[in-house]
Amino acid sequence: MTFPTGSFPDSVAVGDFNNDSRLDIAIANSGSNTVSVLIGYGNGTFASQTTFPTGTSPQSVAVGDFNNDKRLDIAVANGNSNTVSVLLGYGNGTFANQMTFPTGSFPISVAVGDFNNDNRLDIAVATVRSNTVGVLLGYGNGTFANQSMFSADYDLDSVAVGNFNNDSRLDIAVANFATNTVDVLLGYGNGTFASQTTFPTGTVPESVAVGDFNNDSRLDIAIANANSYTVGVLLGYGNGTFASQTTYSTGSSPYSVAVGDFNNDNRLDIAVTNVGSNTVGILLNSC
């Protein structure tokens, strides 16, 4: 089944935006400078989109409750505006006008987490032309402090969040498509991060996701390697370092990767979009 969006839908996130216990969809439309929200009926179908303005060329969307009102909000990385937009939700599937916060040059990916352990959600953003990860600490009212910037490799393309060294502090992983690497920035729990540690991937890693793929209670990393036609999996040692990647064949030009248990066997599986072959691939976990 297909559902219309705005022009050039570039990123998708899921949440219950109208508090009816049914999942809805948010899409960043880079060609129309909007976020589309498709309210779910709970049967796999969705209402027609409602669109909300963003900055220019929105590249990535993430979901969280940024003002602690128990209603989901939306964060958007606006590539050509060099900003992150925050759209506060009313809890009925509609959203307030965006507030924008400056980032580095061309923010391309956004993720959400509590990086300073104050029970308020913060935002991490990968900026492809600044070669940095920006961290915007949240005040808990929907607004954010000026970003702090942390160095990464160049040509960043995707950011994800997880606790990679089991210290109860969130860390950040970033895919670097030009250097064929993933950077891991270990968090100090106060909103700052150690210098990146770099791990090799396949060629042109476009997307990164996090999960425990071998059930050892240590987080691992999955990467879509666009020019290798593979998904790479880096198993974590639980101390912030990772084993060399194991690769799995995909379709042509894998571009985005996501994690979930798709066959209800209590093992995390991987879904990957293959741009070159117009397919979605599912890699079922055999561990």
Side-chain angles (χ1 to χ4, degrees):
M1 292 182 288
T2 59
F3 302 91
T5 67
S7 176
F8 288 98
D10 221 8
S11 175
V12 63
V14 171
D16 179 7
F17 301 123
N18 61 342
N19 290 317
D20 65 353
S21 300
R22 302 167 179 170
L23 285 179
D24 313 308
I25 298 174
I27 305 105
N29 303 305
S30 63
S32 51
N33 302 328
T34 60
V35 165
S36 297
V37 173
L38 287 72
I39 298 298
Y41 291 128
N43 61 359
T45 66
F46 295 82
S48 297
Q49 67 174 330
T50 305
T51 59
F52 303 91
T54 66
T56 308
S57 188
Q59 299 288 309
S60 176
V61 62
V63 170
D65 179 7
F66 301 120
N67 58 344
N68 290 319
D69 65 353
K70 303 187 188 306
R71 302 167 180 172
L72 283 182
D73 313 309
I74 294 174
V76 187
N78 301 307
N80 284 338
S81 297
N82 300 331
T83 60
V84 165
S85 295
V86 172
L87 291 76
L88 297 180
Y90 291 127
N92 61 359
T94 67
F95 294 81
N97 291 336
Q98 66 173 332
M99 296 179 287
T100 59
F101 303 91
T103 69
S105 180
F106 206 92
I108 197 168
S109 180
V110 65
V112 171
D114 179 8
F115 301 119
N116 59 343
N117 291 319
D118 64 354
N119 297 313
R120 301 167 180 172
L121 282 182
D122 313 309
I123 295 173
V125 56
T127 53
V128 66
R129 295 174 186 159
S130 299
N131 304 325
T132 58
V133 174
V135 172
L136 291 75
L137 296 179
Y139 291 126
N141 60 0
T143 65
F144 294 81
N146 291 336
Q147 69 167 342
S148 299
M149 300 176 73
F150 303 92
S151 296
D153 259 331
Y154 64 92
D155 287 341
L156 287 65
D157 208 25
S158 176
V159 63
V161 171
N163 178 14
F164 301 122
N165 59 344
N166 290 320
D167 64 354
S168 302
R169 302 166 181 173
L170 283 181
D171 313 308
I172 294 173
V174 189
N176 307 299
F177 69 85
T179 56
N180 302 327
T181 58
V182 165
D183 286 336
V184 172
L185 290 75
L186 297 180
Y188 291 127
N190 60 1
T192 66
F193 294 81
S195 298
Q196 79 266 25
T197 305
T198 301
F199 303 91
T201 68
T203 52
V204 190
E206 291 282 2
S207 176
V208 61
V210 171
D212 178 9
F213 301 119
N214 59 343
N215 290 319
D216 65 354
S217 300
R218 302 167 180 171
L219 282 182
D220 313 308
I221 296 174
I223 309 105
N225 298 310
N227 282 11
S228 300
Y229 297 178
T230 61
V231 166
V233 173
L234 286 74
L235 296 179
Y237 291 126
N239 60 0
T241 65
F242 295 82
S244 298
Q245 72 167 342
T246 302
T247 58
Y248 303 89
S249 296
T250 67
S252 176
S253 299
Y255 187 79
S256 182
V257 65
V259 170
D261 179 7
F262 302 123
N263 58 345
N264 291 317
D265 65 353
N266 296 313
R267 301 169 181 171
L268 281 182
D269 311 308
I270 296 172
V272 55
T273 60
N274 303 302
V275 172
S277 50
N278 298 324
T279 60
V280 171
I282 304 295
L283 287 74
L284 295 179
N285 191 336
S286 60
C287 289

